[in-house]
Amino acid sequence: MHFKYDLNQRPPLGENLLYGLQWLAVSIPSIIIIGAVVAGITSTGAIDEVIYLQKLFLATALVLLVQVLWGHRLPLVIGPATVLLIAIIASYGSCADAIYSSIIIGGLLLAVLSVTGLFGSLRRLFTPRVVAVILLLIAFTLAPTIVNLIGSPSPGVSATNNYIFSLLLIVILFIAHRHLKGIWKSTLVLWAMLVGSLVYLFIFPQSSSPAAESLAWFAFYKGPFTTTLTVEPGILLAFLFSFLALSINDLGSLQSIGGLLKAPEMEKRITRGITITGLGNALSGFLGVIGPVNFSLSPGVIASTGCASRYSLVPAALGMGLLSLSPALIRVIGQVPAPIIGTILIYIMCSQISAGMMMAMENRAVSNFDHGLIMGLPLMLGTVVAFLPVEVVSAMPVTLRPLLANGFVVGVLAVLILEHLIYRP
């Protein structure tokens, strides 16, 4: 491919700001969607949710800036890690300090593994079949959360109406995905958030509850480092499994964009990139928010804009930083109805399933019946565990609950045992 601006070229200021605005438009939806889900679980009120999103925007902006200038130095957008969202949901009801302490420890361990070269040894465990199952598990084990978002009643709106609205919106999303081109297709999630929310509030005006508190347009954070180090072995082990998957996700994103741009010294870029991702997760843990990961959305944006310059992401990072200082603006863009969030998560997770299936096909990961069993059992176990009744989960030992009630962890353990022990060649 030929680009208007290559990897290390600096576009003129005016053009660079426009490119940065496009990257910002691509980045905002994942921060808002995943951040809103986590904030709804861990926060105690509307103000706490706004502060959570503020800190999440700040952490994402800092990590993106460091990655582009000193880390992998590639035009890669970052956002909250979906695999950590699963771990946080599975740990619901546990001490918040234990959750974010686990993110701190997991991030630091990932950075150490990358710097020392030990990460290369772990990579051998993740065969194409294992990676494909991990990508699929992320989607399937988020299903209960999506069901709660689209199937629960809103103020003045029945669960049935929310369900029908979500079905119609997902059909429209896929029609748009089929026919849109260029930057319109790359920013489809953003338009789904904006237009979907406006239409929902127009049809169901009673669902909009005016904010009781007025928020300042610009305000710094009070005590941003909110995590007290607390270690609960079960939660920590569950998050360590999630960080294994996060590292593979990060590696895949780096390799895909590196291959597209023919970037030199990719091994060094991968080492620096995964190290910064680990340190960025440690920072996010100290801030008390979900950690970041490099996303694989970038090739589509680069192809549509013709700009492969890493410097075009600097204005996007600065824009995120400015957004993090405005509680009022974050409240406005964060007022996305739950059915819209659930519908967009379906769309995003379908992309995740597609990536997993492509991974399996391209690497011929399923060439006989046994290979199908190696992939099928973990997916079944993970999905079943994700939908376990509350009574069953509450009856589990407290120490083992974050592991046994986490469908993602159970699925990853199952595929590793099947691939490397039971069906080992």
Side-chain angles (χ1 to χ4, degrees), residues 141 148-149 157 161 184 200 217 252 292 303 323 336 376 390 395:
T141 52
N148 289 334
L149 288 169
V157 187
N161 287 337
W184 294 103
Y200 184 86
W217 275 100
L323 275 174
V336 183
V390 177

Side-chain angles (χ1 to χ4, degrees), residues 357-379:
M357 295 176 71
M358 286 178 62
M359 163 73 72
M361 290 171 60
E362 289 174 0
N363 294 277
R364 298 186 178 181
V366 183
S367 57
N368 59 48
F369 186 78
D370 288 348
H371 293 165
L373 292 177
I374 292 172
M375 296 187 66
L377 178 62
L379 294 175

Side-chain angles (χ1 to χ4, degrees), residues 337-385:
I340 306 295
I341 294 175
T343 305
I344 293 174
L345 275 177
I346 292 175
Y347 173 76
I348 294 172
M349 289 304 103
C350 286
S351 302
Q352 188 89 11
I353 292 170
S354 177
M357 295 176 71
M358 286 178 62
M359 163 73 72
M361 290 171 60
E362 289 174 0
N363 294 277
R364 298 186 178 181
V366 183
S367 57
N368 59 48
F369 186 78
D370 288 348
H371 293 165
L373 292 177
I374 292 172
M375 296 187 66
L377 178 62
L379 294 175
M380 279 297 297
L381 280 178
T383 306
V384 168
V385 171

Side-chain angles (χ1 to χ4, degrees), residues 263-283:
E265 300 181 323
M266 274 306 297
E267 283 302 318
K268 291 182 180 178
R269 292 179 188 272
I270 288 171
T271 299
R272 290 196 303 263
I274 294 178
T275 301
I276 298 301
T277 297
L279 295 176
N281 274 271
L283 171 65

Side-chain angles (χ1 to χ4, degrees), residues 79-425:
T82 311
V83 69
L84 295 184
L85 168 62
I86 297 169
I88 291 173
I89 292 170
S91 304
Y92 177 70
S94 302
C95 171
D97 284 333
I99 291 173
Y100 292 112
S101 295
S102 298
I103 293 178
I104 294 171
I105 295 169
L108 292 176
L109 280 176
L110 179 59
V112 170
L113 288 173
S114 180
V115 169
T116 58
L118 294 174
F119 179 66
S121 301
L122 286 177
R123 280 166 64 177
R124 288 196 292 270
L125 291 174
F126 294 90
T127 63
R129 254 188 308 278
V130 173
V131 174
V133 169
I134 286 173
L135 291 173
L136 295 170
L137 274 171
I138 291 172
F140 288 130
T141 52
L142 267 180
T145 302
I146 294 172
V147 169
N148 289 334
L149 288 169
I150 68 173
S152 299
S154 306
V157 187
S158 69
T160 303
N161 287 337
N162 279 338
Y163 171 66
I164 294 171
F165 184 91
S166 297
L167 282 181
L168 293 173
L169 180 58
I170 196 65
V171 171
I172 293 170
L173 263 173
F174 273 88
I175 293 172
H177 180 271
R178 171 66 180 84
H179 294 286
L180 291 178
K181 304 292 182 184
I183 194 64
W184 294 103
K185 190 171 186 176
S186 300
T187 55
L188 178 57
V189 171
L190 176 66
W191 299 116
M193 272 176 49
L194 293 176
V195 178
S197 298
L198 291 174
V199 172
Y200 184 86
L201 295 175
F202 177 78
I203 298 174
F204 308 114
Q206 67 272 29
S207 66
S208 175
S209 53
E213 310 89 347
S214 60
L215 295 176
W217 275 100
F218 290 98
F220 289 94
Y221 328 95
K222 296 179 180 178
F225 295 103
T226 54
T227 299
T228 302
L229 282 176
T230 306
V231 177
E232 291 188 15
I235 294 176
L236 177 58
L237 194 54
F239 271 91
L240 291 183
F241 273 98
S242 297
F243 269 97
L244 283 176
L246 182 148
S247 66
I248 296 301
N249 192 342
D250 215 50
L251 176 65
S253 299
L254 290 167
Q255 288 177 328
S256 65
I257 196 68
L260 176 69
L261 303 181
K262 303 293 190 292
E265 300 181 323
M266 274 306 297
E267 283 302 318
K268 291 182 180 178
R269 292 179 188 272
I270 288 171
T271 299
R272 290 196 303 263
I274 294 178
T275 301
I276 298 301
T277 297
L279 295 176
N281 274 271
L283 171 65
S284 299
F286 277 114
L287 290 171
V289 295
I290 188 171
V293 69
N294 288 297
F295 280 1
S296 56
L297 302 170
S298 300
V301 180
I302 292 170
S304 62
T305 61
C307 177
S309 171
R310 60 191 173 98
Y311 294 104
S312 62
L313 276 87
V314 173
L318 297 177
M320 286 183 205
L322 287 175
L323 275 174
S324 74
L325 299 177
S326 179
L329 189 56
I330 283 187
R331 167 176 272 172
V332 170
I333 63 177
Q335 292 296 309
V336 183
I340 306 295
I341 294 175
T343 305
I344 293 174
L345 275 177
I346 292 175
Y347 173 76
I348 294 172
M349 289 304 103
C350 286
S351 302
Q352 188 89 11
I353 292 170
S354 177
M357 295 176 71
M358 286 178 62
M359 163 73 72
M361 290 171 60
E362 289 174 0
N363 294 277
R364 298 186 178 181
V366 183
S367 57
N368 59 48
F369 186 78
D370 288 348
H371 293 165
L373 292 177
I374 292 172
M375 296 187 66
L377 178 62
L379 294 175
M380 279 297 297
L381 280 178
T383 306
V384 168
V385 171
F387 280 99
L388 281 177
V390 177
E391 304 79 33
V392 176
V393 174
S394 58
M396 294 178 181
V398 176
T399 308
L400 297 178
R401 192 179 301 164
L403 293 173
L404 299 180
N406 186 327
F408 179 79
V409 171
V410 171
V412 171
L413 272 173
V415 73
L416 290 174
I417 291 170
L418 288 169
E419 177 80 351
H420 297 290
L421 293 178
I422 298 175
Y423 289 99
R424 183 177 181 180

